[in-house]
Amino acid sequence: MIMSEHHHDFMTSTESNIVAAAFTRRGVELALSLGFRVFAPERFACENVEAITDPLTQWAGRYFHEASALVFVGASGIAVRAIAPHVASKLHDPAVIVIDEAGRYVVPLLSGHVGGANELARKIAGVLGAQPVITTATDVNNLPAVDEWSVKHNCVIENPENVKHVSSALLEGLTVGVAVTCENIAAPFPVTLYLRPRNLVLGAGCNKGVSYEVFEEYAKSFLDGAGVSVLSLMCLASIDLKADEPAMKNFARAHNIPFMTFTAEELQALPGKFTASDKVLRFTGTDNVCERSAVMAAGEGAVLLRSKCVYDDVTFALARSVENDIASQRN
């Protein structure tokens, strides 16, 4: 049985979704020592090592979409051929890293910034006493990488095609401008990169059975009226009576945000001034759903940016999270 004598528990919750492929006994031992989920040829399979039974390209394709990072312990050429058919976008591809079986070098091959491969490579190298081989131009020149910064600060890149313009300008020593804002403002620079901080909560109430198309249309109208980008939503919030409402669940899924719900008792106990409705109180047990749920989901110190707006079958409110606000974090 292959066992690891030294287990390094350095992974965060995101990094715990890392899979590794190793092709020699020495490589398997190294991968196990890092605490990854390890795959290897069938002859090395055991309690701690899963067998690769499909062609490596097929195996890589599966975990390319399921894992946060793929680590290959072996030759870089093996890794390149395995992932080549699956590479799509720097914004969505997972981190891909190669480690030689002797543990001397750690090479991030893909998604160095947005996928976090550079940072993970440095972390692995620190554990192994290895050399991280970082080749991205901004890192080599000790310049900030705007796409990596956006990930660390929980921002969404609205127009990723402009990342290369900002990076090129930095490398040439030029002054660059980046708009880090949830507001829909006119481009302040000749080439503007918009980073949308995820710091807004959309609180909602709706009649049973409202269609997703209607909900989406009204949500867009509401957010446009508030002058903010839908990319800055950190979650959708409502009362638990709506936990299984298809329109709400589909909206959250479509925009890749959580859907949080609260009991009537929790909402009604929330201190603050809200737009009260006796009718809503009779039907739900709280006098306001959209405002209260938005503020509750946004957390301590939340600011109600836009109060209750009523559409046919739907109500919305908008709150900003102070805990997730970049400007507040700097103070």
Side-chain angles (χ1 to χ4, degrees):
M1 178 180 292
I2 296 176
M3 297 294 292
S4 170
E5 296 181 2
H6 305 287
H7 175 80
H8 298 282
D9 186 17
F10 66 89
M11 295 184 292
T12 66
S13 59
T14 300
E15 291 164 346
S16 63
N17 189 26
I18 296 174
V19 297
F23 311 101
T24 64
R25 183 171 298 275
R26 189 179 185 186
V28 169
E29 290 283 3
L30 186 148
L32 286 172
S33 76
L34 292 167
F36 300 146
R37 182 183 176 187
V38 180
F39 293 81
E42 289 188 87
R43 65 183 181 277
F44 298 123
C46 61
E47 180 182 356
N48 306 306
V49 181
E50 300 175 59
I52 299 176
T53 56
D54 299 318
L56 189 60
T57 299
Q58 188 174 333
W59 175 89
R62 174 183 175 183
Y63 291 102
F64 209 79
H65 302 289
E66 295 182 9
S68 60
L70 279 71
V71 176
F72 292 84
V73 184
S76 58
I78 295 175
V80 170
R81 290 185 177 89
I83 67 171
H86 315 295
V87 176
S89 164
K90 66 183 296 180
L91 294 182
H92 302 105
D93 293 340
V96 178
I97 289 173
V98 172
I99 309 172
D100 67 286
E101 70 166 37
R104 296 191 184 97
Y105 302 102
V106 184
V107 187
L109 287 183
L110 195 67
S111 288
H113 292 150
V114 175
N118 287 359
E119 183 177 357
L120 180 59
R122 293 187 184 100
K123 194 173 292 187
I124 293 172
V127 170
L128 297 176
Q131 175 66 48
V133 183
I134 310 297
T135 58
T136 43
T138 49
D139 294 84
V140 171
N141 289 277
N142 294 315
L143 294 171
V146 66
D147 43 359
E148 185 175 44
W149 187 94
S150 69
V151 172
K152 288 183 177 180
H153 292 83
N154 196 26
C155 293
V156 178
I157 302 174
E158 180 173 282
N159 50 341
E161 66 277 6
N162 282 353
V163 169
K164 60 183 179 182
H165 297 293
V166 171
S167 296
S168 295
L170 284 171
L171 290 168
E172 293 175 21
L174 303 176
T175 300
V176 300
V178 178
V180 185
T181 178
C182 62
E183 298 180 14
N184 289 325
I185 61 173
F189 313 108
V191 177
T192 298
L193 178 68
Y194 287 97
L195 302 185
R196 302 300 189 181
R198 285 191 179 271
N199 61 353
L200 302 180
V201 176
L202 181 64
C206 71
N207 292 334
K208 185 176 181 180
V210 65
S211 72
Y212 165 70
E213 291 76 15
V214 167
F215 189 92
E216 174 77 33
E217 178 186 351
Y218 289 152
K220 183 178 186 303
S221 175
F222 173 79
L223 294 171
D224 286 345
V228 300
S229 170
V230 67
L231 295 178
S232 280
L233 291 182
M234 57 181 277
C235 75
L236 174 69
S238 191
I239 193 169
D240 61 355
L241 296 174
K242 296 298 177 182
D244 293 318
E245 192 67 44
M248 291 188 174
K249 293 172 67 176
N250 289 335
F251 179 87
R253 187 179 301 113
H255 295 282
N256 194 31
I257 56 175
F259 177 29
M260 298 179 64
T261 61
F262 306 95
T263 66
E265 292 76 16
E266 288 175 318
L267 294 176
Q268 193 61 25
L270 185 68
K273 294 182 179 180
F274 302 98
T275 307
S277 166
D278 291 336
K279 180 180 178 180
V280 173
L281 181 61
R282 288 196 305 272
F283 279 98
T284 68
T286 181
D287 60 11
N288 185 292
V289 171
C290 58
E291 292 178 1
R292 288 181 178 274
S293 61
V295 171
M296 177 160 282
E300 186 177 354
V303 178
L304 187 63
L305 292 183
R306 195 177 188 196
S307 56
K308 179 179 178 180
C309 288
V310 181
Y311 297 80
D312 293 336
D313 298 323
V314 183
T315 61
F316 291 113
L318 188 70
R320 187 181 77 240
S321 169
V322 174
E323 297 172 355
N324 289 279
D325 189 81
I326 293 176
S328 299
Q329 292 171 10
R330 289 176 176 175
N331 294 333

